[in-house]
Amino acid sequence: MNPIRVSVYEDNDTLRESLSYLIMGSEDMELCGAWSDCAKVMENCTLFKPRVILMDIDMPGISGIEATSMIKAVFPEINILIFTVFEDESKVFDALCAGASGYLLKKSKSIQILEAIVELHNGGSPMTGEIARKVLEFFSRPTSKKKNEYTLSDREMDILKCLVNGESYKKIAENCFISTSTVCTHINSIYRKLHVNSKSEAVIKALKERLVG
Amino acid sequence: MNPIRVSVYEDNDTLRESLSYLIMGSEDMELCGAWSDCAKVMENCTLFKPRVILMDIDMPGISGIEATSMIKAVFPEINILIFTVFEDESKVFDALCAGASGYLLKKSKSIQILEAIVELHNGGSPMTGEIARKVLEFFSRPTSKKKNEYTLSDREMDILKCLVNGESYKKIAENCFISTSTVCTHINSIYRKLHVNSKSEAVIKALKERLVG
DNA sequence: ATGTCAATCAGTAAAATTGTTGATTTTTAT
DNA sequence: ATAAAAATCAACAATTTTACTGATTGACAT
């Protein structure tokens, strides 16, 4: 079994060295570079061909999340493990959307880091239970919000669904068997309740907050 | 510390009994019911007030996923741990969308089951690395499309971004320092390339296919 | 050099959307 | 019984969006 080629990006010198020694000390892994910023990240990937990258988020210059996007666009086969102190939802999502395959907090123990690298390389996605919960909430949260936050009536929900189908007033009137005036009235109520002022804004809000299925 | 009240739904008699003994044997937990189907699931939750439910998917009558939806709608505070042989993507997503907070495979070891229950109760979301990977792929997959599928020009992308910000022609004209006529021309090109016929449709397509960040 | 193409800009008229006011009927809550 | 909320309809003015026509620029191949 060939050792897993691992690169590290971490701007804290002490931590970067600790990680480097940790990886070098493992029989299953091989360190192929450790950098304090992502300035030459694409070049490095081309030259050193890592299979796994340990990536800090907060670094001078290019952030770890930006770097993740860049790397995955060109080297989709490289698995990127985010290694950070941030545990707020937006950072987690940004990182995962950028293409990271794992998310580890810096408070993790050495053995956990090594296990995570191996798991990542084997096609798994290591993350702590708390991070996983945040990710899962993404799926179930909309359902809870969906309910009553804006207290749209049944009919208004019907109309809103038509709106996110891209229908015009006329089409909605036909589909719902009402006059365009009534459509206008309902849509006005929707705007008022959603605090928006145009069809597009209503559609955007409905889609982003998953008000409709 | 009070023991964690756990219920079990599993139609295989042998397995259900094993799980029951496993939970009863743990000092941190208390078994409050084990059933072979979900016929009386709501009633049971009301009477026995479990904090965690171990839920099989494939059962006669109501499926574990349907039961999960029903339970979460009324008892959102109950944490549900799916326990199944299925590892296909659709089942995983259905379960998570229904509100499950963890997903365990039946090949798991006893100690992992107990750990998962504790982690779930502490606000984590236990799942295997493979399951986590499936979940994460949900986030990064759409990004690949993002590129050039519709060959929008740079300027057209600018305008499209304005559109999904909910801006009117006038606002776009101001922001981009062009006349509203020009905005109109660009938007026409966008419609042609995206095969749509209105602002809303363009916004919907841009959001659903993640054409903009 | 010349023609083609894509991207950019603009003006006008037609069509769709939005604001506003006002009214009737049905359902729901008190 | 009465009040409040929801759904329906109408009409007019104001604004926004869309269609259509035409022009300029720069890149690029012939």
Side-chain angles (χ1 to χ4, degrees):
Chain A
M1 188 80 163
N2 289 331
I4 307 169
R5 300 176 62 80
V6 181
S7 287
V8 174
Y9 291 86
E10 164 62 59
D11 65 332
N12 180 300
D13 294 339
T14 315
L15 182 52
R16 187 178 63 253
E17 282 175 28
S18 305
L19 290 170
S20 299
Y21 284 120
L22 179 65
I23 292 163
M24 284 190 284
S26 163
E27 285 184 2
D28 308 323
M29 301 173 200
E30 182 175 19
L31 183 72
C32 59
W35 292 269
S36 63
D37 64 70
C38 288
K40 299 192 174 176
V41 63
M42 300 308 287
E43 207 178 318
N44 294 340
C45 286
T46 309
L47 284 176
F48 300 103
K49 305 192 186 312
R51 306 302 305 174
V52 170
I53 294 178
L54 213 56
M55 180 73 78
D56 187 20
I57 287 187
D58 196 20
M59 288 181 286
I62 301 168
S63 82
I65 291 174
E66 289 166 338
T68 299
S69 282
M70 292 161 58
I71 296 167
K72 291 301 277 192
V74 181
F75 309 99
E77 75 285 1
I78 297 180
N79 286 310
I80 297 171
L81 178 59
I82 301 290
F83 185 64
T84 178
V85 289
F86 299 114
E87 36 188 325
D88 57 291
E89 219 171 274
S90 70
K91 279 284 195 309
V92 174
F93 282 114
D94 288 348
L96 299 185
C97 288
S101 298
Y103 201 103
L104 223 59
L105 297 177
K106 285 196 178 172
K107 62 186 177 190
S108 306
K109 291 167 193 151
S110 298
I111 177 71
Q112 290 177 314
I113 297 171
L114 293 176
E115 282 173 358
I117 292 173
V118 172
E119 190 177 349
L120 198 70
H121 186 250
N122 291 335
S125 279
M127 59 179 103
T128 65
E130 305 104 278
I131 299 293
R133 176 64 69 107
K134 288 187 210 301
V135 173
L136 291 208
E137 275 168 5
F138 177 87
F139 290 93
S140 48
R141 184 195 327 150
T143 336
S144 60
K145 258 197 171 180
K146 204 173 172 177
K147 282 183 185 170
N148 271 340
E149 217 195 327
Y150 301 102
T151 59
L152 293 183
S153 70
D154 291 351
R155 200 53 163 164
E156 284 158 3
M157 279 303 297
D158 290 345
I159 309 284
L160 186 57
K161 277 174 200 160
C162 293
L163 286 184
V164 303
N165 281 335
E167 293 174 24
S168 68
Y169 280 37
K170 205 187 283 184
K171 266 266 170 299
I172 297 174
E174 282 173 25
N175 290 352
C176 299
F177 305 105
I178 54 181
S179 75
T180 50
S181 298
T182 307
V183 174
C184 185
T185 308
H186 286 308
I187 289 185
N188 253 300
S189 308
I190 294 173
Y191 290 175
R192 183 168 31 79
K193 293 182 181 178
L194 259 48
H195 305 293
V196 300
N197 294 297
S198 72
K199 229 168 90 161
S200 304
E201 286 180 289
V203 165
I204 292 162
K205 193 148 192 170
L207 282 177
K208 287 197 174 171
E209 303 191 10
R210 311 228 171 163
L211 303 175
V212 295
Chain B
M1 187 79 162
N2 289 330
I4 307 169
R5 298 176 62 80
V6 182
S7 286
V8 174
Y9 292 85
E10 165 61 60
D11 65 332
N12 179 300
D13 294 339
T14 314
L15 182 52
R16 187 178 63 254
E17 281 176 28
S18 305
L19 290 170
S20 298
Y21 283 120
L22 179 65
I23 291 163
M24 285 190 284
S26 163
E27 285 183 1
D28 309 324
M29 302 173 200
E30 183 176 19
L31 184 71
C32 60
W35 292 270
S36 63
D37 64 69
C38 288
K40 298 191 174 176
V41 64
M42 301 307 287
E43 208 178 316
N44 294 340
C45 286
T46 308
L47 284 175
F48 300 102
K49 304 192 187 311
R51 308 301 305 174
V52 170
I53 295 178
L54 212 57
M55 180 71 79
D56 187 21
I57 288 186
D58 197 19
M59 288 180 286
I62 300 168
S63 82
I65 290 174
E66 288 165 339
T68 299
S69 282
M70 293 161 58
I71 296 167
K72 292 301 276 192
V74 181
F75 308 99
E77 74 285 2
I78 297 179
N79 286 310
I80 298 171
L81 178 60
I82 300 291
F83 185 64
T84 178
V85 290
F86 299 114
E87 36 188 324
D88 57 292
E89 217 170 276
S90 70
K91 278 285 194 307
V92 174
F93 282 114
D94 289 347
L96 300 185
C97 288
S101 298
Y103 201 104
L104 222 61
L105 298 177
K106 285 196 177 171
K107 63 186 176 189
S108 307
K109 291 165 193 151
S110 297
I111 178 70
Q112 290 177 314
I113 297 171
L114 292 176
E115 282 173 358
I117 292 173
V118 172
E119 189 177 349
L120 198 69
H121 186 252
N122 291 335
S125 279
M127 61 178 102
T128 65
E130 306 103 278
I131 300 292
R133 177 64 68 106
K134 287 187 211 303
V135 173
L136 291 208
E137 276 167 3
F138 176 87
F139 289 93
S140 47
R141 190 188 322 149
T143 331
S144 58
K145 262 194 169 180
K146 203 173 172 176
K147 282 180 187 169
N148 268 342
E149 221 194 324
Y150 300 102
T151 59
L152 294 182
S153 71
D154 291 351
R155 199 54 162 166
E156 284 158 2
M157 280 303 296
D158 290 345
I159 309 284
L160 186 58
K161 278 174 199 160
C162 292
L163 286 184
V164 302
N165 281 334
E167 294 174 22
S168 67
Y169 280 37
K170 204 188 283 183
K171 267 267 171 300
I172 298 175
E174 283 173 25
N175 290 353
C176 299
F177 306 104
I178 55 182
S179 75
T180 51
S181 301
T182 307
V183 174
C184 185
T185 309
H186 287 310
I187 290 186
N188 250 302
S189 308
I190 294 172
Y191 290 175
R192 184 168 29 81
K193 294 183 182 178
L194 258 48
H195 305 295
V196 299
N197 294 296
S198 72
K199 225 168 94 163
S200 303
E201 286 181 287
V203 165
I204 292 162
K205 193 149 193 168
L207 282 177
K208 286 196 174 171
E209 303 192 8
R210 310 218 179 173
L211 303 175
V212 295

